[in-house]
Amino acid sequence: MQRERIALVRSRAPEEFDEDLAPLSAALSRTGIEAVALPWDESADWSRFAAVLLESPWDYPGRSEEFLAWARRAATESVLFNPFPMVEWNSDKRYLADLAADGVPVVPSTWTAPGEEWRAPAEGEYVVKPSVSCSAKDTARYGPGAAERRRAHRHAGELLERGRTVLTQPYQHAVDAQGELSLVYLDGAYSHAVRRSALLKPGAGTQDGLLATATVTSCTAAGPELDCGDAAVKAVRSRFESPLYARIDLVPGPGGGPLLLECEVIEPSLFLAHSPTAADDLAAAVLRRLTSRSTRRSSAPGRPGTGLPDTGGGRDAPGTGG
């Protein structure tokens, strides 16, 4: 196959924060693909690339309309991974309501749109965040009591005044001891898992930086956790296609069973260094999709960015189509 060039789309944050970029670039090179890292807001001719892969555009929430306009345009000039309809849907956490309707166990969530009145939960601790957000930015944990309620109202009010929809969720206390479990899926199949320490501390206020940091350790996912992850990826696949990559973030619910906190298909850290094969698996999946697209175009030309064959899902090794 002729050597392909693809764009790895990122933000303008310093590269040392992006631990996936180097191993993915090296793995792509081993498959014969040249990877060029570019910010999404770079003035570039995206049609020069065989594919545009959203690798780490972590700054998009503050410019979501601009980012989605760019992504739509990039999908017409090249092949966008993940595809634009999936990206547009996933850019707003209201997608959680869709997954809950599909039967995925999701952390209970309520949304307050600009112009509506935000109300604090009647009891317990809770989390307030913008519906379009990344890496816990503008997110805070609040407890009961009048002072906390005033702080939460001020936080929600500021978001609403800026035209942002507010997402409110009950805080899942088991995460303090157990952390979040992140399941990484590559080419629709489960790859590996990590556990991340809790980010939100009581009374700490909002996260203001672009990137929030947590302790990350490799771990093994249990059956119920894999069931939940598989259900989320299956729901995405039923709506769009099998995602090239996805990260499913789970927290323990009140009864101990896993609840979906996030299903990320735009810009998740994939913790590639925590698996000996993940970077190569992802690179191989990119190559397969490019090869499949090339084959399809040679027999029946189509518009770039319109989707690729479903590669299946479940717990088989990436690339097996299981």
Side-chain angles (χ1 to χ4, degrees):
M1 179 180 177
Q2 181 180 353
R3 185 175 177 85
E4 300 275 20
R5 297 176 77 237
I6 73 168
L8 298 183
V9 175
R10 53 190 315 274
S11 69
R12 295 183 181 273
E15 289 191 5
E16 58 263 28
F17 288 114
D18 187 353
E19 297 180 354
D20 288 340
L21 183 60
L24 178 56
S25 297
L28 287 166
S29 181
R30 288 192 290 271
T31 69
I33 297 174
E34 178 187 357
V36 180
L38 289 171
W40 65 269
D41 55 357
E42 184 82 7
S43 178
D45 179 3
W46 302 100
S47 66
R48 296 185 297 117
F49 299 99
V52 176
L53 191 155
L54 299 175
E55 196 270 335
S56 57
W58 291 324
D59 56 350
Y60 84 86
R63 302 160 63 190
S64 60
E65 291 186 4
E66 183 182 351
F67 173 77
L68 290 176
W70 167 82
R72 184 188 297 273
R73 187 168 62 251
T76 65
E77 297 178 6
S78 183
V79 177
L80 185 67
F81 294 133
N82 282 309
F84 178 75
M86 189 186 302
V87 168
E88 184 179 38
W89 170 80
N90 195 237
S91 67
D92 190 312
K93 296 185 196 308
R94 283 178 286 196
Y95 74 79
L96 291 171
D98 292 335
L99 295 183
D102 290 340
V104 180
V106 173
V107 173
S109 304
T110 58
W111 289 266
T112 306
E116 298 177 343
E117 182 181 359
W118 181 83
R119 296 181 182 274
E123 57 185 19
E125 287 191 285
Y126 51 93
V127 174
V128 173
K129 65 178 77 171
S131 190
V132 178
S133 66
C134 173
S135 191
K137 182 173 171 57
D138 295 325
T139 298
R141 169 182 172 182
Y142 297 102
E148 285 283 272
R149 194 173 295 264
R150 285 193 296 271
R151 290 177 56 240
H153 269 284
R154 185 163 55 249
H155 178 191
E158 290 171 353
L159 292 174
L160 293 170
E161 286 176 5
R162 284 150 51 191
R164 307 182 74 178
T165 295
V166 175
L167 169 59
T168 308
Q169 298 171 313
Y171 188 75
Q172 306 300 312
H173 288 90
V175 75
D176 290 333
Q178 300 181 39
E180 292 182 22
L181 179 69
S182 292
L183 309 180
V184 176
Y185 284 74
L186 303 177
D187 211 12
Y190 170 71
S191 170
H192 59 283
V194 300
R195 197 170 293 280
R196 298 183 292 156
S197 59
L199 285 173
L200 303 179
K201 308 299 181 185
T206 58
Q207 299 275 347
D208 293 323
L210 174 63
L211 301 174
T213 57
T215 301
V216 179
T217 56
S218 300
C219 68
T220 301
E225 296 159 343
L226 291 169
D227 290 341
C228 188
D230 288 355
V233 173
K234 180 180 179 180
V236 173
R237 187 170 68 247
S238 69
R239 292 174 177 274
F240 305 102
E241 62 180 70
S242 188
L244 174 66
Y245 59 79
R247 196 186 77 206
I248 308 301
D249 294 339
L250 306 177
V251 294
L259 296 177
L260 178 75
L261 183 63
E262 296 272 7
C263 169
E264 299 194 36
V265 298
I266 298 179
E267 37 59 50
S269 293
L270 297 174
F271 306 109
L272 298 177
H274 287 262
S275 164
T277 64
D280 287 308
D281 289 340
L282 181 53
V286 171
L287 180 60
R288 279 194 301 275
R289 295 195 178 203
L290 291 179
T291 302
S292 175
R293 174 178 177 269
S294 178
T295 301
R296 294 197 314 119
R297 283 178 60 86
S298 66
S299 59
R303 183 174 66 83
T306 57
L308 292 163
D310 192 339
T311 56
R315 301 178 196 170
D316 298 322
T320 64

